[in-house]
Amino acid sequence: MADESGSVTVSGADGERARNAGPRRARAKKAKKQRPFWQELPILIVIAAVIAALVVTFIGRPYVIPSQSMEPTLHGCAGCTGDRIYVEKISYDFGDPKPGDVVVFVGPSNSWNKAYRSNRSGNVVVRGIQNFFSFFGLVPPDENDLVKRVIAVGGQTVQCCDAQGRVLVDGKPLDEPYARYLYPYQPGLAYGVKSAAASGVLINPAGREFGPIKVPDGNIWVMGDNRNESADSRAHIDDEFSGTVPVDDIRGKAVFKIWPPGRIGPVRSQNPQSH
């Protein structure tokens, strides 16, 4: 019927049906749009993969400790279960590495990389799959990644030793509670000596002395906490960087041990120059 204003109104059963029709149509539309889980699963996988790739590219990724050079801070050895650490990239997007930071970097010269063997399969198909999953952080990258502690930065001069066998930076001894030495300090005994016959540096693990070496701007000097079992900057003083590592080759800062369960915990930066 029409009311006094001229508009049409619906009453009674017809009005009830009209009111219910709208919600029924909405529910029917919603039911039609609902996809089964098996159709949504590929979309969810793609979204998760994109998120993982973004995290690996811009935030950080896990790495495995392959050797004992950072004992006791980080555990690793041939044939054992090495620590898995999480390495974040954001810190060095907004600042520079600082003394005491534990960093992961790619070997900057042939001196560091001559013993490296690719972790990729010789099979083209398998290698392609490995490279694909590496993009998402599920397989290690195909590069010689190393982990050490920053001892000195660009512009500083590093050497060893004082009368107590301590490392010096700009003439001041470092306080290094994290460092482990297996042999007592022997004055005059060098850690490494350049050798043309050996095409590199001959290492004497019992020795400590090296330098002085001035770290170029934009580079760092790194050493393992396990001083007698670490082929660090001291072992590469004959390369084009005098053993130092360009900041551009740093992959990130180690911040947390994520595996095995008994060793889960933070990786602490301890500035040896702060005293």
mmCIF file of all heavy atoms in Angstrom, residues 156-182:
data_model
loop_
_atom_site.group_PDB
_atom_site.id
_atom_site.type_symbol
_atom_site.label_atom_id
_atom_site.label_comp_id
_atom_site.label_asym_id
_atom_site.label_seq_id
_atom_site.Cartn_x
_atom_site.Cartn_y
_atom_site.Cartn_z
ATOM 1 N N GLN A 156 92.493 1.968 13.724
ATOM 2 C CA GLN A 156 93.192 1.508 14.922
ATOM 3 C C GLN A 156 94.383 0.624 14.544
ATOM 4 O O GLN A 156 94.401 0.007 13.483
ATOM 5 C CB GLN A 156 92.240 0.735 15.842
ATOM 6 C CG GLN A 156 91.119 1.583 16.417
ATOM 7 C CD GLN A 156 90.261 0.833 17.420
ATOM 8 O OE1 GLN A 156 89.917 -0.328 17.224
ATOM 9 N NE2 GLN A 156 89.906 1.510 18.508
ATOM 10 N N THR A 157 95.365 0.581 15.455
ATOM 11 C CA THR A 157 96.545 -0.257 15.255
ATOM 12 C C THR A 157 96.514 -1.392 16.267
ATOM 13 O O THR A 157 96.343 -1.168 17.463
ATOM 14 C CB THR A 157 97.831 0.565 15.427
ATOM 15 O OG1 THR A 157 97.862 1.606 14.435
ATOM 16 C CG2 THR A 157 99.067 -0.320 15.253
ATOM 17 N N VAL A 158 96.664 -2.622 15.763
ATOM 18 C CA VAL A 158 96.562 -3.809 16.611
ATOM 19 C C VAL A 158 97.867 -4.586 16.573
ATOM 20 O O VAL A 158 98.541 -4.653 15.531
ATOM 21 C CB VAL A 158 95.367 -4.691 16.159
ATOM 22 C CG1 VAL A 158 95.532 -5.147 14.732
ATOM 23 C CG2 VAL A 158 95.177 -5.875 17.092
ATOM 24 N N GLN A 159 98.237 -5.171 17.703
ATOM 25 C CA GLN A 159 99.448 -5.983 17.777
ATOM 26 C C GLN A 159 99.423 -6.839 19.042
ATOM 27 O O GLN A 159 98.551 -6.686 19.899
ATOM 28 C CB GLN A 159 100.699 -5.096 17.793
ATOM 29 C CG GLN A 159 100.839 -4.242 19.037
ATOM 30 C CD GLN A 159 101.994 -3.283 18.948
ATOM 31 O OE1 GLN A 159 101.791 -2.090 18.729
ATOM 32 N NE2 GLN A 159 103.205 -3.789 19.104
ATOM 33 N N CYS A 160 100.359 -7.737 19.143
ATOM 34 C CA CYS A 160 100.547 -8.536 20.345
ATOM 35 C C CYS A 160 102.045 -8.761 20.516
ATOM 36 O O CYS A 160 102.734 -9.046 19.530
ATOM 37 C CB CYS A 160 99.812 -9.868 20.223
ATOM 38 S SG CYS A 160 99.688 -10.815 21.765
ATOM 39 N N CYS A 161 102.554 -8.518 21.688
ATOM 40 C CA CYS A 161 101.846 -8.582 22.970
ATOM 41 C C CYS A 161 102.492 -7.587 23.942
ATOM 42 O O CYS A 161 103.602 -7.091 23.685
ATOM 43 C CB CYS A 161 101.946 -9.968 23.575
ATOM 44 S SG CYS A 161 101.338 -11.313 22.532
ATOM 45 N N ASP A 162 101.838 -7.373 25.092
ATOM 46 C CA ASP A 162 102.519 -6.691 26.187
ATOM 47 C C ASP A 162 103.230 -7.747 27.035
ATOM 48 O O ASP A 162 103.269 -8.935 26.676
ATOM 49 C CB ASP A 162 101.551 -5.833 27.004
ATOM 50 C CG ASP A 162 100.544 -6.663 27.814
ATOM 51 O OD1 ASP A 162 100.551 -7.912 27.699
ATOM 52 O OD2 ASP A 162 99.740 -6.057 28.542
ATOM 53 N N ALA A 163 103.789 -7.337 28.161
ATOM 54 C CA ALA A 163 104.576 -8.258 28.989
ATOM 55 C C ALA A 163 103.738 -9.418 29.521
ATOM 56 O O ALA A 163 104.273 -10.475 29.884
ATOM 57 C CB ALA A 163 105.221 -7.498 30.145
ATOM 58 N N GLN A 164 102.414 -9.240 29.561
ATOM 59 C CA GLN A 164 101.524 -10.294 30.056
ATOM 60 C C GLN A 164 100.913 -11.127 28.931
ATOM 61 O O GLN A 164 100.048 -11.965 29.177
ATOM 62 C CB GLN A 164 100.413 -9.668 30.914
ATOM 63 C CG GLN A 164 100.926 -8.930 32.142
ATOM 64 C CD GLN A 164 99.796 -8.282 32.932
ATOM 65 O OE1 GLN A 164 98.746 -8.896 33.148
ATOM 66 N NE2 GLN A 164 99.998 -7.053 33.372
ATOM 67 N N GLY A 165 101.340 -10.864 27.714
ATOM 68 C CA GLY A 165 100.838 -11.634 26.588
ATOM 69 C C GLY A 165 99.487 -11.180 26.074
ATOM 70 O O GLY A 165 98.802 -11.919 25.368
ATOM 71 N N ARG A 166 99.108 -9.938 26.408
ATOM 72 C CA ARG A 166 97.799 -9.434 25.992
ATOM 73 C C ARG A 166 97.881 -8.714 24.642
ATOM 74 O O ARG A 166 98.913 -8.119 24.307
ATOM 75 C CB ARG A 166 97.235 -8.480 27.050
ATOM 76 C CG ARG A 166 96.918 -9.154 28.371
ATOM 77 C CD ARG A 166 96.442 -8.155 29.421
ATOM 78 N NE ARG A 166 97.489 -7.191 29.767
ATOM 79 C CZ ARG A 166 97.354 -6.265 30.717
ATOM 80 N NH1 ARG A 166 96.218 -6.169 31.394
ATOM 81 N NH2 ARG A 166 98.347 -5.428 30.978
ATOM 82 N N VAL A 167 96.771 -8.757 23.896
ATOM 83 C CA VAL A 167 96.660 -8.027 22.635
ATOM 84 C C VAL A 167 96.548 -6.538 22.951
ATOM 85 O O VAL A 167 95.897 -6.132 23.923
ATOM 86 C CB VAL A 167 95.439 -8.505 21.828
ATOM 87 C CG1 VAL A 167 95.272 -7.685 20.548
ATOM 88 C CG2 VAL A 167 95.564 -9.994 21.493
ATOM 89 N N LEU A 168 97.183 -5.713 22.107
ATOM 90 C CA LEU A 168 97.157 -4.267 22.276
ATOM 91 C C LEU A 168 96.437 -3.620 21.100
ATOM 92 O O LEU A 168 96.636 -4.019 19.946
ATOM 93 C CB LEU A 168 98.576 -3.711 22.351
ATOM 94 C CG LEU A 168 99.513 -4.303 23.418
ATOM 95 C CD1 LEU A 168 100.942 -3.848 23.175
ATOM 96 C CD2 LEU A 168 99.057 -3.885 24.807
ATOM 97 N N VAL A 169 95.622 -2.626 21.382
ATOM 98 C CA VAL A 169 95.018 -1.792 20.348
ATOM 99 C C VAL A 169 95.355 -0.344 20.675
ATOM 100 O O VAL A 169 95.047 0.137 21.770
ATOM 101 C CB VAL A 169 93.492 -1.988 20.263
ATOM 102 C CG1 VAL A 169 92.866 -0.956 19.322
ATOM 103 C CG2 VAL A 169 93.159 -3.389 19.781
ATOM 104 N N ASP A 170 96.021 0.304 19.723
ATOM 105 C CA ASP A 170 96.530 1.665 19.941
ATOM 106 C C ASP A 170 97.368 1.746 21.215
ATOM 107 O O ASP A 170 97.300 2.716 21.981
ATOM 108 C CB ASP A 170 95.369 2.669 19.993
ATOM 109 C CG ASP A 170 94.693 2.837 18.631
ATOM 110 O OD1 ASP A 170 95.340 2.536 17.607
ATOM 111 O OD2 ASP A 170 93.521 3.258 18.600
ATOM 112 N N GLY A 171 98.141 0.692 21.450
ATOM 113 C CA GLY A 171 99.071 0.666 22.572
ATOM 114 C C GLY A 171 98.469 0.305 23.908
ATOM 115 O O GLY A 171 99.195 0.200 24.907
ATOM 116 N N LYS A 172 97.143 0.067 23.964
ATOM 117 C CA LYS A 172 96.484 -0.247 25.230
ATOM 118 C C LYS A 172 96.100 -1.734 25.271
ATOM 119 O O LYS A 172 95.527 -2.246 24.305
ATOM 120 C CB LYS A 172 95.238 0.618 25.414
ATOM 121 C CG LYS A 172 95.551 2.108 25.476
ATOM 122 C CD LYS A 172 94.273 2.927 25.598
ATOM 123 C CE LYS A 172 94.587 4.417 25.645
ATOM 124 N NZ LYS A 172 93.352 5.234 25.708
ATOM 125 N N PRO A 173 96.396 -2.416 26.382
ATOM 126 C CA PRO A 173 96.049 -3.844 26.476
ATOM 127 C C PRO A 173 94.537 -4.048 26.556
ATOM 128 O O PRO A 173 93.810 -3.244 27.137
ATOM 129 C CB PRO A 173 96.741 -4.290 27.766
ATOM 130 C CG PRO A 173 96.867 -3.047 28.574
ATOM 131 C CD PRO A 173 97.065 -1.924 27.601
ATOM 132 N N LEU A 174 94.083 -5.148 25.961
ATOM 133 C CA LEU A 174 92.660 -5.468 25.949
ATOM 134 C C LEU A 174 92.291 -6.348 27.141
ATOM 135 O O LEU A 174 93.087 -7.157 27.604
ATOM 136 C CB LEU A 174 92.281 -6.188 24.655
ATOM 137 C CG LEU A 174 92.576 -5.457 23.344
ATOM 138 C CD1 LEU A 174 92.056 -6.279 22.159
ATOM 139 C CD2 LEU A 174 91.964 -4.055 23.334
ATOM 140 N N ASP A 175 91.065 -6.185 27.588
ATOM 141 C CA ASP A 175 90.498 -7.049 28.621
ATOM 142 C C ASP A 175 89.604 -8.058 27.918
ATOM 143 O O ASP A 175 88.519 -7.711 27.446
ATOM 144 C CB ASP A 175 89.701 -6.201 29.615
ATOM 145 C CG ASP A 175 89.074 -7.035 30.719
ATOM 146 O OD1 ASP A 175 89.521 -8.186 30.916
ATOM 147 O OD2 ASP A 175 88.117 -6.563 31.371
ATOM 148 N N GLU A 176 90.050 -9.316 27.827
ATOM 149 C CA GLU A 176 89.344 -10.316 27.033
ATOM 150 C C GLU A 176 88.999 -11.556 27.859
ATOM 151 O O GLU A 176 89.653 -12.600 27.734
ATOM 152 C CB GLU A 176 90.186 -10.718 25.825
ATOM 153 C CG GLU A 176 90.522 -9.579 24.880
ATOM 154 C CD GLU A 176 91.198 -10.084 23.630
ATOM 155 O OE1 GLU A 176 92.413 -10.351 23.687
ATOM 156 O OE2 GLU A 176 90.514 -10.223 22.599
ATOM 157 N N PRO A 177 87.946 -11.482 28.658
ATOM 158 C CA PRO A 177 87.572 -12.650 29.467
ATOM 159 C C PRO A 177 87.093 -13.831 28.631
ATOM 160 O O PRO A 177 87.081 -14.971 29.110
ATOM 161 C CB PRO A 177 86.446 -12.110 30.354
ATOM 162 C CG PRO A 177 85.894 -10.950 29.594
ATOM 163 C CD PRO A 177 87.061 -10.332 28.897
ATOM 164 N N TYR A 178 86.702 -13.600 27.389
ATOM 165 C CA TYR A 178 86.186 -14.653 26.514
ATOM 166 C C TYR A 178 87.315 -15.441 25.834
ATOM 167 O O TYR A 178 87.086 -16.507 25.284
ATOM 168 C CB TYR A 178 85.303 -14.035 25.423
ATOM 169 C CG TYR A 178 85.940 -12.831 24.765
ATOM 170 C CD1 TYR A 178 86.962 -12.973 23.837
ATOM 171 C CD2 TYR A 178 85.540 -11.544 25.101
ATOM 172 C CE1 TYR A 178 87.566 -11.888 23.252
ATOM 173 C CE2 TYR A 178 86.137 -10.441 24.532
ATOM 174 C CZ TYR A 178 87.156 -10.622 23.607
ATOM 175 O OH TYR A 178 87.762 -9.522 23.043
ATOM 176 N N ALA A 179 88.552 -14.906 25.826
ATOM 177 C CA ALA A 179 89.645 -15.531 25.082
ATOM 178 C C ALA A 179 90.191 -16.751 25.818
ATOM 179 O O ALA A 179 90.347 -16.745 27.041
ATOM 180 C CB ALA A 179 90.755 -14.526 24.840
ATOM 181 N N ARG A 180 90.498 -17.813 25.051
ATOM 182 C CA ARG A 180 91.073 -19.028 25.615
ATOM 183 C C ARG A 180 92.427 -19.299 24.956
ATOM 184 O O ARG A 180 92.533 -19.363 23.732
ATOM 185 C CB ARG A 180 90.143 -20.222 25.400
ATOM 186 C CG ARG A 180 90.708 -21.515 25.987
ATOM 187 C CD ARG A 180 89.653 -22.612 26.007
ATOM 188 N NE ARG A 180 89.491 -23.256 24.716
ATOM 189 C CZ ARG A 180 88.676 -24.290 24.510
ATOM 190 N NH1 ARG A 180 87.941 -24.761 25.507
ATOM 191 N NH2 ARG A 180 88.555 -24.821 23.315
ATOM 192 N N TYR A 181 93.444 -19.440 25.805
ATOM 193 C CA TYR A 181 94.795 -19.775 25.333
ATOM 194 C C TYR A 181 95.187 -21.141 25.879
ATOM 195 O O TYR A 181 95.041 -21.406 27.067
ATOM 196 C CB TYR A 181 95.806 -18.724 25.795
ATOM 197 C CG TYR A 181 95.665 -17.384 25.119
ATOM 198 C CD1 TYR A 181 94.957 -16.353 25.725
ATOM 199 C CD2 TYR A 181 96.250 -17.142 23.870
ATOM 200 C CE1 TYR A 181 94.824 -15.119 25.101
ATOM 201 C CE2 TYR A 181 96.124 -15.917 23.242
ATOM 202 C CZ TYR A 181 95.414 -14.898 23.863
ATOM 203 O OH TYR A 181 95.292 -13.676 23.240
ATOM 204 N N LEU A 182 95.695 -21.989 25.001
ATOM 205 C CA LEU A 182 96.096 -23.335 25.405
ATOM 206 C C LEU A 182 97.553 -23.397 25.833
ATOM 207 O O LEU A 182 97.977 -24.356 26.477
ATOM 208 C CB LEU A 182 95.858 -24.319 24.257
ATOM 209 C CG LEU A 182 94.425 -24.404 23.727
ATOM 210 C CD1 LEU A 182 94.357 -25.375 22.550
ATOM 211 C CD2 LEU A 182 93.461 -24.824 24.822
#
